[in-house]
Amino acid sequence: MSLTGSQMQVVALNWHVYLLTGSPLALGLVGLTRVVPIIAFSLLGGIVADRVDRRRIMIVSQSAMLVFSSVLAFTTYRGHATLVILYAVNALTGAASAFDAPARQSLVPRLVPAADLPAALALNLAMLHASLIGGPGVAGLLLAGGAGAAAGRPPGAAARAVTAATASSVPMIGLIYAINALSFLAVIMALVAMRTNTRPEASAAGDEHPLESLKAGLRFVFTTPIMVWTMGIDFVATFFAGSLSLLPIFADQILKVGAAGYGWLVAAPALGALVGSIYTSVVHLPRRQGRVLLWAIAAYGAFTVIYGLGPRYWIVFLALAGTGLSDLVSTVIRQTLRQLLTPDALRGRMTSVNMIFFMGGPQLGEMEAGLVASFFASAAFGARVSVVTGGILTLIASAVVAARSRIVRDYEPPAAG
């Protein structure tokens, strides 16, 4: 419930910024304002997750995000939602997630046997991607009811036209923000009812200085070559191919499908990922998972190129679904190897380092995509160029890693013991 609300808000926020500005660069800044706090606080979040009851951390972080979404809803309904407010609340939400994610991900290996961990992670991702389908789809339908005046309007239209379009969408955008605020109650109630032991295992981390604790976590991650390589390739791929923030331009100017079509385009990667997560939860991946990982990243780049070039709505939709499917396969492999190789006492810090790469890549990539697209006089042409070049660079990166890193190419998970 909560993730569905959060994904509805992601769609509404991007559409809100687009209506206010019509600018690819402004859309790219949505990703930047979210990732800067994540980079700034995720390492601290990892230290806290390895010292404090992880359930309590999540209750506090989820409550904070409830407040932030309520602020968005209130200011939008009151007509005071400026770009500064949208960016500021987006940044605060990113800061809260920097504490929430390490605590959340560190819990999973405590709940299932090691042999069942890949299936558990896949089912967890199935839940995530189900919300990534439903959230954007519902948000798109709601926005379509209030954004009719905005559909088909080119960016750079007269200020009064943009203002009118924005005004017509305010009730639905504000409603989506309010729905997301209420959705956090579902997580908070579930956490309050939880009876599982959610405290991190006792370790020297509880007695050492936080700086020393941080150094220990960084030392573990960066002296484990397979983690360095997989985090690096994930960051590079999502940085170059991360371009979903440009979907409002594709929906409005290139494919001309409006807000409803935009919502389903946002949901398309999750549809592909949901299929992949269900499959990988019941069918074991091959032992040679390093090769599967590299092929999945290459497929992610190839589907991104098709998305950028697609002349028809259904082609773009299927290509985006393909990016979600291929990304899901690589995510399951990367998450499983990290959790299996990391002691419980270090999982929060490992997750926080990975979070910089895992979330930093896509969010910085959105900024990079918007920046590249803004160099062209036509936002539509610039968006296509940005997406296609990002996909090509991802293909090149996967080929380089395949040629240079035997430890990734030949990776096999340790036998369950």
Side-chain angles (χ1 to χ4, degrees), residues 72-367:
L72 276 181
F74 179 77
T75 55
T76 299
Y77 276 124
R78 297 285 294 179
H80 301 316
T82 64
L83 271 181
V84 172
I85 291 176
L86 296 181
Y87 288 153
V89 174
N90 194 41
L92 289 170
T93 302
S97 68
F99 290 88
D100 184 83
R104 180 192 299 267
Q105 293 186 32
S106 298
L107 281 179
V108 178
R110 300 285 296 277
L111 305 179
V112 296
D116 294 329
L117 184 58
L121 290 172
L123 287 171
N124 205 29
L125 289 167
M127 175 271 299
L128 167 65
H129 293 296
S131 68
L132 284 168
I133 295 168
V138 173
L141 293 175
L142 289 174
L143 290 171
R153 289 190 185 277
R160 63 179 180 276
V162 176
T163 302
T166 303
S168 67
S169 300
V170 162
M172 288 300 103
I173 293 174
L175 174 63
I176 290 171
Y177 294 152
I179 290 172
N180 185 42
L182 292 173
S183 74
F184 288 109
L185 294 174
V187 179
I188 294 170
M189 288 189 293
L191 289 167
V192 170
M194 185 180 290
R195 294 294 177 262
T196 305
N197 178 18
T198 55
R199 292 182 177 276
E201 290 182 358
S203 71
D207 301 321
E208 65 187 4
H209 190 277
L211 185 58
E212 293 301 317
S213 181
L214 173 59
K215 288 180 180 178
L218 292 173
R219 188 181 307 115
F220 171 78
V221 170
F222 289 106
T223 56
T224 308
I226 188 69
M227 287 195 181
V228 176
W229 276 104
T230 54
M231 287 182 182
I233 186 61
D234 176 47
F235 180 87
V236 170
T238 54
F239 177 79
F240 287 123
S243 51
L244 294 183
S245 66
L246 298 179
L247 279 177
I249 296 173
F250 273 81
D252 186 41
Q253 298 183 52
I254 298 174
L255 303 174
K256 302 189 184 305
V257 293
Y262 162 60
W264 289 113
L265 287 176
V266 175
L271 179 62
L274 179 61
V275 172
S277 61
I278 294 173
Y279 178 80
T280 54
S281 69
V282 296
V283 178
H284 289 297
L285 291 170
R287 289 288 300 169
R288 303 295 292 273
Q289 291 185 10
R291 298 183 181 226
V292 177
L293 172 67
L294 291 170
W295 277 112
I297 294 170
Y300 180 74
F303 281 122
T304 299
V305 173
I306 297 171
Y307 147 44
L309 294 174
R312 297 286 186 271
Y313 176 79
W314 66 269
I315 294 176
V316 174
F317 184 91
L318 290 177
L320 287 168
T323 65
L325 174 61
S326 52
D327 185 54
L328 181 282
V329 173
S330 71
T331 298
V332 169
I333 294 172
R334 287 182 283 106
Q335 285 193 6
T336 302
L337 75 86
R338 289 167 194 153
Q339 298 288 12
L340 290 176
L341 294 176
T342 306
D344 183 75
L346 288 169
R347 281 199 177 109
R349 282 164 284 176
M350 179 277 294
T351 301
S352 68
V353 175
N354 176 57
M355 191 175 177
I356 294 176
F357 290 83
F358 180 73
M359 298 190 70
Q363 301 296 337
L364 289 173
E366 304 293 359
M367 178 63 192

